[in-house]
Amino acid sequence: MESQAVFSVIEVVLNRPLFQCFDYKLEGSYADDIVGARVEVNIAGSREIGIIYKVKQDSSLPFAKLKSARLLDKKDIFAPDVHKMLSFASKYYLYPLGQCYVSALPKLLRDGKEAAYGEIPALAATKEGLEADVKNIKAKVQAQILTLLKEGPVRRKELRERGFSAQAENALIKKGFAVKVNLALSLKATQSTAAPSVLKEEPPVLNPEQSVAVEAICAAKGYQAFLLNGVTGSGKTEVYLQVIAAVLRKGQSALVLVPEIALTPQTFERFYNRFNVPVSSMHSALSDRERLDAFLDMQRGGPAILIGTRSALFTPIPNLGLIVIDEEHDGSFKQTDGFRYHARSLALVRAKAAGCKIILGSATPSLESVENALCGKFTKLDLTIRAGGASLPQFKLIDLKNEPLTPGIKTGIGLELENRIGEETARGNQVLLFLNRRGYSHHLFCPHCGKIFTCPNCDNPLTVHKNEGRLKCHVCDNVFAMPVVCPDCGSREFMENGYGTEQVEEFLRLRYPDVGIERIDRDSVNSKAELEKRLERIKEGKSKIMLGTQMLAKGHDFPDVTLVGILDIDSGLFSDDFRALESTAQLLTQVSGRAGRAQKQGDVIIQSYHPENELLNRLITPNIAYFDIALDLLLIRKNLNLPPFSYQAFLLSNSEDRVKAFAYLQELNSCLQKKAGTYEGLSLGPVISDKMEKRHNRYHFHILVTAIRRDVLNAFLNETVKIEQDNPPKNDVRFAIEVDPLFLY
DNA sequence: AGCACGCCGACT
DNA sequence: GTCGGCGTGCTC
């Protein structure tokens, strides 16, 4: 008698651009608890990793047609709330489910590696180290590290995040106080030590506003969303920390999403120092192995905290009690390629699915969130008191129209700002100058024939970078040699137009030769570590003038800054993107928040050629908070039927072949135009080329779809996908749908 | 997205 | 004669 093998039928999602699942057979008898486990399967001749979506009694296909799958996990490697979020996301963003699932996994799991810890490099104190008196170690950093090690081994990843250099670690090893260890084996022990308290340090006393906020959030039962609207320096983070503490005490875990730019040692330090529970992180600076470790850390369960950027949202966290989205207005929560999701939107879905609370925190909330607060979907909590009694800065708007032609104004610094920089630095104060434009000159041209040097891959003028002696494309990051001879007319003379941070720095060095200047932008700062080093130098007061782009605008505290100068606000006031005013208001508020954070009164000087501009004047009026301006901007949106009062999507195509990219969308558009009429309140635009039609050597076209109702938009996009599948793009044409775009194309 | 199958050009 | 170009169509 031959024993009859028992098979289960499973429905598997795969990493393919298909809106369908595939049935496989699996030897053995399985129940629903393997939904969410990975399998290795054969699909169309290639091996692939898939995820079990359903366990079924039988397939609609003949059993003989089913190939067999190999089970890679014993159970679900996701979590119920993550499953719900991903199913939602696939439908909402019209992105294939399998690809949503795959995006949610760390690369090693995507590649079929075992869901288990590898070696975790850590540092541990030696016996000598444990016995040594930290006070006897002169090197400050080494002493800090040893203090940590005395409590137990610490991962090198954590030490790195907290800003400790490998140098300091090695010095400790050399002294015989520390030793490199592999933590993987001892991990279980570390975990099971039942901590008597979730807190490592005594939390500070809250001010009344913070207490109200913490109590309100802690009182929430099940799902509830809070908009924590707190001015810069009002202690939003402390509110998060105390709510997290309450969540941990209930045995639950917390997920904290921050913008990429906020992953600083100070941020990590506050969490690592405060809590007696495992703190993990998930962000782009980690290796594949470290990402898997963080995934497993959380999957294990038990009260824990995960801090990370948008992709951390997909990490399985059993017993999730709280999601925090810090700086919720930040654009980096939106993914702009592949699975084009917005982490804020999906976080709300996940919180609902998990039945937990969610805090969206910002000094400058997005208009979407402001609207949600107004219509009662979010509970708004305000923090208006700045710590240490710091007052809000004084604004001064300077009209550049009749400015004398000084060397300064050529690099965007008017006489009054120039003088104020001199005064403040002479008093020993610091100055922060903001210009959102990197490089030396905006572009280079030939005065004889008028040729402007542009990127061969993009429709974009090349920026002059004098220090490097090269031309750079800020769209595709390609670099080019400085021309010697004009390729069009043979002239050997060139002229530059427009200024960037590099040129402003050059002027400042000539003008204030004895004042330390720190330029902070993507060209002058290569790594996170270097940024930290430079910011440290600023905080120690070695440099008096800071000049930078976005990089400098957010998060960092500079207590001695008494003057903030905004060199060019105008580019943010006159834009064809309806979100420009919102982001300008946010940026201005955030940059201004850098001034006067301690005892010193701060001033903000805004230079403009349009000082009569209404928004600008409202922004600088004392006592008009960002929120009031947000309300004004919302009213404008409402009158024009713009988001969040309508819903948008883009149909995008691109190809190396300009004609093919256009033709594909044109064909799609003519099909869709016939159907658009049956969708109420829906408008379908024509095919137009992107503002920057050519980038990365490809030609880009788009169609804008707008609807008054979300469900109508979604239904229409479903029809679009159907048509796309019947007539898929050929050759090298790529097609994509972007729902809720943040930038217009 | 892969990958196989299939039908036309310049190579030993 | 055949190696290989990439156009088309399918994947449990």
Side-chain angles (χ1 to χ4, degrees):
Chain A
M1 275 289 261
E2 165 188 335
S3 71
Q4 197 70 43
V6 183
F7 284 97
S8 306
V9 176
I10 51 171
E11 206 171 293
V12 174
V13 290
L14 291 160
N15 183 17
R16 311 227 139 181
L18 303 167
F19 289 86
Q20 61 175 284
C21 297
F22 294 90
D23 289 351
Y24 284 87
K25 60 185 177 187
L26 192 59
E27 196 175 337
S29 179
Y30 289 97
D32 280 348
D33 62 342
I34 55 157
V35 167
R38 292 169 304 152
V39 283
E40 189 187 59
V41 295
N42 256 333
I43 174 96
S46 56
R47 299 184 94 61
E48 282 249 346
I49 304 301
I51 290 131
I52 301 176
Y53 188 64
K54 255 183 206 161
V55 180
K56 310 199 290 188
Q57 285 317 106
D58 57 311
S59 175
S60 51
L61 280 105
F63 187 78
K65 273 204 91 174
L66 301 186
K67 292 183 186 169
S68 56
R70 190 168 74 86
L71 193 60
L72 296 179
D73 302 300
K74 289 190 188 73
K75 55 178 176 51
D76 185 11
I77 57 165
F78 296 85
D81 52 329
V82 176
H83 284 291
K84 282 185 194 151
M85 173 171 65
L86 292 172
S87 299
F88 170 88
S90 175
K91 289 185 205 121
Y92 185 92
Y93 292 110
L94 290 293
Y95 198 68
L97 186 60
Q99 297 191 292
C100 294
Y101 265 93
V102 161
S103 314
L105 285 178
K107 189 172 175 298
L108 293 182
L109 294 183
R110 217 181 293 172
D111 293 346
K113 298 278 186 319
E114 195 194 346
Y117 289 105
E119 291 196 349
I120 303 175
L123 213 59
T126 57
K127 212 173 83 195
E128 291 78 19
L130 289 171
E131 285 161 4
D133 189 349
V134 174
K135 289 190 199 97
N136 294 337
I137 298 175
K138 281 190 210 104
K140 206 177 73 193
V141 181
Q142 289 175 42
Q144 285 172 334
I145 298 176
L146 189 58
T147 308
L148 291 176
L149 297 186
K150 278 173 180 273
E151 290 169 33
V154 180
R155 292 180 193 190
R156 312 273 311 257
K157 169 194 162 198
E158 179 180 330
L159 292 171
R160 203 177 69 220
E161 284 170 345
R162 299 177 78 156
F164 299 119
S165 66
Q167 223 180 344
E169 290 177 32
N170 290 334
L172 271 182
I173 294 168
K174 217 170 171 186
K175 286 179 185 163
F177 291 155
V179 63
K180 288 182 187 174
V181 294
N182 169 17
L183 206 60
L185 305 168
S186 53
L187 208 67
K188 277 218 174 81
T190 321
Q191 167 69 9
S192 63
T193 335
S197 159
V198 298
L199 294 183
K200 224 185 253 177
E201 61 174 19
E202 194 58 35
V205 176
L206 298 175
N207 71 33
E209 283 182 338
Q210 289 173 313
S211 298
V212 167
V214 170
E215 277 163 33
I217 300 167
C218 288
K221 300 269 180 285
Y223 169 77
Q224 198 176 334
F226 296 90
L227 178 60
L228 185 62
N229 181 214
V231 299
T232 35
S234 61
K236 283 188 294 294
T237 310
E238 195 50 45
V239 172
Y240 305 150
L241 293 176
Q242 302 218 3
V243 176
I244 290 169
V247 165
L248 295 172
R249 279 190 208 104
K250 286 199 272 179
Q252 296 179 309
S253 294
L255 168 62
V256 182
L257 297 188
V258 297
E260 191 75 47
I261 202 150
L263 289 165
T264 64
Q266 295 90 297
T267 306
F268 285 116
E269 200 69 2
R270 288 187 79 170
F271 284 87
Y272 284 126
N273 280 339
R274 174 71 56 93
F275 297 106
N276 222 349
V277 302
V279 176
S280 284
S281 64
M282 185 78 91
H283 49 88
S284 63
L286 302 182
S287 68
D288 290 341
R289 190 77 236 177
E290 287 168 335
R291 260 180 257 216
L292 175 55
D293 291 346
F295 188 93
L296 297 169
D297 285 349
M298 299 313 293
Q299 197 187 42
R300 233 161 21 151
I305 300 168
L306 181 69
I307 309 166
T309 48
R310 62 170 183 269
S311 66
L313 174 65
F314 303 111
T315 312
I317 304 174
N319 222 348
L320 182 62
L322 172 73
I323 301 177
V324 175
I325 315 272
D326 190 27
E327 307 293 344
E328 66 86 32
H329 63 281
D330 195 280
S332 73
F333 288 119
K334 178 79 168 51
Q335 178 129 73
T336 50
D337 61 337
F339 179 18
R340 297 161 186 253
Y341 66 95
H342 198 300
R344 189 216 298 138
S345 310
L346 288 188
L348 288 161
V349 174
R350 182 168 184 183
K352 246 178 244 173
C356 75
K357 36 195 168 246
I358 175 166
I359 309 173
L360 313 188
S362 178
T364 55
S366 62
L367 296 193
E368 280 80 2
S369 294
V370 170
E371 171 58 20
N372 277 329
L374 294 180
C375 72
K377 283 187 188 162
F378 297 169
T379 306
K380 183 170 171 259
L381 299 164
D382 294 301
L383 303 178
T384 60
I385 307 163
R386 296 182 98 192
S391 52
L392 282 165
Q394 292 257 300
F395 289 93
K396 182 153 193 199
L397 187 53
I398 290 178
D399 186 353
L400 286 183
K401 274 204 293 286
N402 297 311
E403 192 67 25
L405 283 175
T406 58
I409 195 63
K410 286 182 191 148
T411 66
I413 295 179
L415 208 50
E416 181 161 354
L417 180 57
E418 184 181 327
N419 291 335
R420 285 296 313 279
I421 294 170
E423 285 168 27
E424 290 306 321
T425 52
R427 286 194 194 124
N429 294 326
Q430 288 180 315
V431 176
L432 192 157
L433 300 175
F434 181 80
L435 174 66
N436 216 357
R437 211 181 303 126
R438 305 185 284 132
Y440 188 84
S441 304
H442 178 253
H443 67 265
L444 186 71
F445 68 100
C446 170
H448 296 273
C449 69
K451 177 192 171 64
I452 294 173
F453 289 85
T454 56
C455 176
N457 304 324
C458 314
D459 291 331
N460 183 40
L462 294 167
T463 306
V464 179
H465 285 253
K466 212 174 198 173
N467 289 348
E468 299 170 50
R470 294 194 290 194
L471 298 173
K472 259 191 202 176
C473 175
H474 286 184
V475 175
C476 70
D477 281 339
N478 272 332
V479 290
F480 302 90
M482 283 290 232
V484 180
V485 175
C486 173
D488 287 8
C489 72
S491 159
R492 288 174 171 271
E493 284 177 304
F494 301 104
M495 283 178 82
E496 294 173 2
N497 211 337
Y499 58 88
T501 46
E502 200 182 314
Q503 193 169 344
V504 179
E505 182 190 14
E506 184 185 81
F507 165 75
L508 291 169
R509 288 206 187 280
L510 287 170
R511 179 66 180 81
Y512 305 105
D514 301 323
V515 178
I517 298 168
E518 212 68 59
R519 170 161 67 94
I520 308 276
D521 56 33
R522 221 156 54 123
D523 303 301
S524 63
V525 179
N526 299 316
S527 65
K528 196 136 254 173
E530 197 193 331
L531 176 63
E532 285 315 314
K533 219 191 266 168
R534 303 271 297 271
L535 292 173
E536 210 41 55
R537 228 159 43 208
I538 292 167
K539 278 171 200 165
E540 285 165 12
K542 284 179 188 149
S543 300
K544 295 294 176 206
I545 302 176
M546 292 160 263
L547 162 69
T549 55
Q550 299 266 13
M551 258 187 166
L552 212 49
K554 297 175 189 176
H556 306 289
D557 242 335
F558 304 114
D560 287 325
V561 166
T562 51
L563 175 66
V564 170
I566 294 165
L567 303 197
D568 176 24
I569 192 83
D570 292 344
S571 49
L573 293 175
F574 304 97
S575 166
D576 49 4
D577 193 321
F578 67 85
R579 272 180 238 268
L581 295 183
E582 177 187 355
S583 32
T584 301
Q586 287 164 344
L587 191 67
L588 192 60
T589 309
Q590 298 275 351
V591 177
S592 309
R594 304 301 122 215
R597 288 199 76 161
Q599 313 315 327
K600 297 178 182 176
Q601 168 74 41
D603 288 341
V604 177
I605 289 185
I606 302 163
Q607 305 185 121
S608 172
Y609 286 94
H610 304 273
E612 73 294 339
N613 181 279
E614 201 188 327
L615 174 74
L616 209 47
N617 282 283
R618 278 185 68 72
L619 279 167
I620 64 163
T621 307
N623 304 323
I624 297 188
Y626 167 85
F627 203 82
D628 298 314
I629 289 161
L631 294 179
D632 294 351
L633 294 177
L634 259 183
L635 195 63
I636 298 172
R637 298 268 187 99
K638 188 161 203 167
N639 291 334
L640 296 175
N641 249 328
L642 288 166
F645 303 101
S646 65
Y647 305 97
Q648 295 186 328
F650 276 115
L651 312 180
L652 306 163
S653 83
N654 69 76
S655 167
E656 277 186 44
D657 186 327
R658 185 173 189 273
V659 175
K660 283 180 182 153
F662 177 79
Y664 182 73
L665 270 199
Q666 188 59 40
E667 171 68 21
L668 182 67
N669 201 33
S670 58
C671 288
L672 287 171
Q673 289 292 354
K674 288 177 212 150
K675 319 238 178 187
T678 61
Y679 292 87
E680 200 194 322
L682 184 124
S683 99
L684 178 65
V687 178
I688 37 183
S689 67
D690 287 15
K691 265 185 290 217
M692 192 173 294
E693 182 181 302
K694 189 186 179 192
R695 48 197 146 91
H696 297 98
N697 238 334
R698 302 181 71 84
Y699 294 88
H700 296 253
F701 294 86
H702 65 269
I703 302 170
L704 174 64
V705 189
T706 307
I708 300 299
R709 282 173 47 173
R710 170 71 67 188
D711 55 345
V712 173
L713 178 68
N714 189 256
F716 180 78
L717 293 176
N718 268 308
E719 179 128 27
T720 306
V721 169
K722 262 191 216 119
I723 294 171
E724 182 224 341
Q725 305 255 301
D726 289 344
N727 180 21
K730 287 190 292 222
N731 302 320
D732 120 286
V733 178
R734 293 177 201 159
F735 173 79
I737 296 177
E738 175 152 330
V739 179
D740 299 343
L742 274 190
F743 300 101
L744 301 183
Y745 284 89

